[in-house]
Amino acid sequence: MTGNPAITADVVLAALAGLIDPDLQKDYVAAKAAKNLRIDGASVALDIELPFPAQSRHGAIRAAVRERIAAIAGVSDVEIGVSTKIIAHTVQHGLKPLPGVKNIVAVASGKGGVGKSATAVNLALALASEGARVGLLDADIYGPSLPQMLGLAGSQPESVDGQSMEPLEAFGVQVMSIGFLIEPDAPMVWRGPMVTQALDQLLRQTRWHELDYLVVDMPPGTGDIQLTLAQKFPVTGAVIVTTPQDIALLDARKGLKMFEKVGIPILGLVENMSIHICSNCGHAEHIFGEGGGGRMAADFDVELLGSLPLDRSIRELADAGRPTVVGAPDSKAAAIYCEIARRVAVKVGERAKDMSSRFPNIVVQNT
Ligand SMILES: Nc1ncnc2c1ncn2[C@@H]1O[C@H](COP(=O)(O)OP(=O)(O)OP(=O)(O)O)[C@@H](O)[C@H]1O
C-alpha cells in the first residue's frame, strides 16, 4: 500500500469545517457527529452519527461529506456511513426515566382548542417517518381526541398479564389514550387527584416497547392537574402550542412559566392557525394578528419551532383518522410539521450528555 503523508486527521477535519448541517446549524465536527475516522493510504472512511432521526436526509448528507473528502489531494476512495443514535436524557430532579423510554416530550398549551392534539399527533408521526421509534400518550383528560385522529376510536388495549397494557398501534406509532379506557360520552367529573393518578398509571402501566420518544398530549391549561403531571412525568422537554391571539398568548405564557417552575426545559413554541389562506383566492390573512408567537419566543428566549396556517385540510384529515403527515405527506403543512419535528429532535439531541471528543476511534495507517 502506498502511503500518503498528506492525508491526516487534521486535513480531513479542515475539509469538513464549513459544511454546515441545516438542522444542527453546525458542521459535523463541531456537533460531535463525525466519528470513527479511518485513514488507510489513499482511502478515507468516516461515520456521521446524528443525534436525531433524519432518514430522509441520510443520502444528501453522505453525498455532501463524500464530496468534501474526495476533494482532498491524494484521496482516491471515500466511504461514508450515516446513522442516527438517539440518546436518553436526564429528566427533572427527583424523577427516574421511564423504563423503555429514552425521551418524553410533553406537548402543552395554556388553553384548550389551540391545536395541541393535532400538533402532538403530527409531531409523533413525523418523528416516526424519519426512522425513530415513537409512542404517543393522550393525557388530555378533558377531550381525548387521539383515538379519533388516528382511526382507533372504539379500540381497547389488551393486557397480557392482567397488570400492564399493550399500547395500540397506528402508522407505526405506539398509542395509549385515556379515551380507550372511558366511555366516549362519560362526564369528566373526576377530581384532580383521581385524574393525576389515572394518568400516572396510564404512563407507567403501558408496556412501551423501546421508544426513542414518547410524545405526551397534555391536558390544556396550567392548573393543579397540569402542574402535578409536569412534576410527576419524567419529561425531557416541553413544546408549547399557541394561537396568535393575545389571550391565547397570555395563557401560553403561563404554560411556559409552569414548565420553568418545575425545571423542565422548553424545547420551543409552535404557533398554530397563524395565518388563513383563502381556499378560493389564495389570499393570506393574519386573522389573529401577526408575529405574536415570534415576539413571545423572543421574550422568553425560546425557539419558534414553526407556524402552521389555519388550513381546512388539517382538520379534515385529523377527523378522518389520517393526520396530515400521513394523509397528505407532500403538502406544505406536512413539511412544516416535519420541520417542527426535526427542530424538536435536534433540541433534544443537543442536550446529549455524550461529550465525546472529536473523532473518537481515529485509525490512521499511513505507513
Ligand atoms: N392549523 C389548523 N388548521 C385547521 N384546523 C386545525 C388546525 N390545528 C388544529 N385544527 C383542528 O382544530 C380542532 C382543535 O384542535 P385540537 O383538538 O388539536 O386542539 P387542542 O388544543 O388539542 O384542544 P383540546 O385541548 O380542547 O383537546 C380539531 O378539529 C383540529 O383538527
Side-chain angles (χ1 to χ4, degrees):
M1 198 180 304
T2 320
N4 188 338
I7 305 172
T8 62
D10 279 340
V11 168
V12 175
L13 194 124
L16 290 178
L19 178 60
I20 306 295
D21 182 275
D23 294 318
L24 293 167
Q25 293 173 11
K26 285 180 187 158
D27 71 57
Y28 297 107
V29 181
K32 299 186 173 67
K35 313 250 166 166
N36 304 329
L37 174 63
R38 282 98 66 205
I39 302 172
D40 184 0
S43 301
V44 178
L46 174 73
D47 295 332
I48 301 293
E49 193 179 84
L50 301 168
F52 60 95
Q55 236 164 44
S56 64
R57 293 200 47 234
H58 284 191
I61 293 171
R62 191 177 294 114
V65 173
R66 175 182 284 129
E67 192 182 315
R68 288 280 175 132
I69 296 178
I72 299 170
V75 170
S76 66
D77 190 29
V78 184
E79 201 184 306
I80 307 297
V82 183
S83 61
T84 290
K85 184 176 173 193
I86 296 159
I87 297 169
H89 291 289
T90 44
V91 297
Q92 65 270 42
H93 187 68
L95 293 184
K96 283 199 216 124
L98 208 60
V101 179
K102 288 185 185 166
N103 294 288
I104 295 185
V105 175
V107 180
S109 64
K111 66 168 201 152
V114 298
K116 174 179 51 58
S117 301
T119 304
V121 76
N122 280 294
L123 170 64
L125 292 169
L127 290 168
S129 76
E130 288 288 9
R133 293 181 61 94
V134 184
L136 191 53
L137 173 64
D138 183 1
D140 189 347
I141 191 86
Y142 306 112
S145 43
L146 295 195
Q148 172 77 30
M149 285 188 181
L150 289 164
L152 293 171
S155 306
Q156 287 201 326
E158 288 182 0
S159 174
V160 179
D161 56 9
Q163 310 257 320
S164 58
M165 287 174 293
E166 291 296 318
L168 283 105
E169 195 169 316
F171 310 108
V173 169
Q174 298 170 36
V175 187
M176 183 53 72
S177 170
I178 192 94
F180 295 143
L181 309 177
I182 54 170
E183 290 295 320
D185 301 326
M188 280 293 126
V189 291
W190 299 7
R191 292 205 322 262
M194 289 165 73
V195 173
T196 46
Q197 199 184 3
L199 290 177
D200 201 52
Q201 279 178 4
L202 210 59
L203 179 75
R204 288 173 213 284
Q205 291 179 4
T206 301
R207 280 162 50 95
W208 304 108
H209 300 281
E210 297 307 318
L211 298 181
D212 295 315
Y213 306 98
L214 175 61
V215 177
V216 180
D217 183 7
M218 298 282 282
T222 49
D224 283 349
I225 291 174
Q226 291 78 4
L227 188 62
T228 312
L229 283 182
Q231 281 167 321
K232 285 183 97 169
F233 284 14
V235 177
T236 310
V239 171
I240 310 287
V241 182
T242 180
T243 61
Q245 284 157 292
D246 283 343
I247 182 69
L249 289 170
L250 283 176
D251 285 323
R253 278 168 202 271
K254 284 190 205 152
L256 278 170
K257 289 214 168 107
M258 183 185 82
F259 283 104
E260 276 178 357
K261 196 164 138 188
V262 295
I264 296 175
I266 305 291
L267 301 169
L269 200 69
V270 172
E271 191 179 31
N272 194 28
M273 311 184 194
S274 61
I275 189 168
H276 175 247
I277 313 232
C278 174
S279 46
N280 290 326
C281 68
H283 174 67
E285 197 178 6
H286 288 91
I287 45 179
F288 291 134
E290 193 176 349
R295 279 195 298 276
M296 182 173 148
D299 280 359
F300 278 80
D301 198 20
V302 296
E303 185 174 335
L304 180 62
L305 299 163
S307 299
L308 285 142
L310 178 63
D311 176 346
R312 198 166 69 182
S313 81
I314 292 179
R315 184 190 58 73
E316 286 172 349
L317 287 163
D319 285 353
R322 290 187 62 78
T324 306
V325 167
V326 288
D330 298 325
S331 63
K332 199 163 170 214
I336 298 171
Y337 282 127
C338 288
E339 179 64 25
I340 290 170
R342 253 205 310 271
R343 296 301 320 141
V344 167
V346 168
K347 283 266 165 194
V348 171
E350 274 171 1
R351 295 174 38 78
K353 287 181 288 180
D354 176 24
M355 299 304 282
S356 45
S357 61
R358 69 177 197 187
F359 285 155
N361 310 326
I362 296 178
V363 180
V364 182
Q365 294 176 348
N366 269 344
T367 49

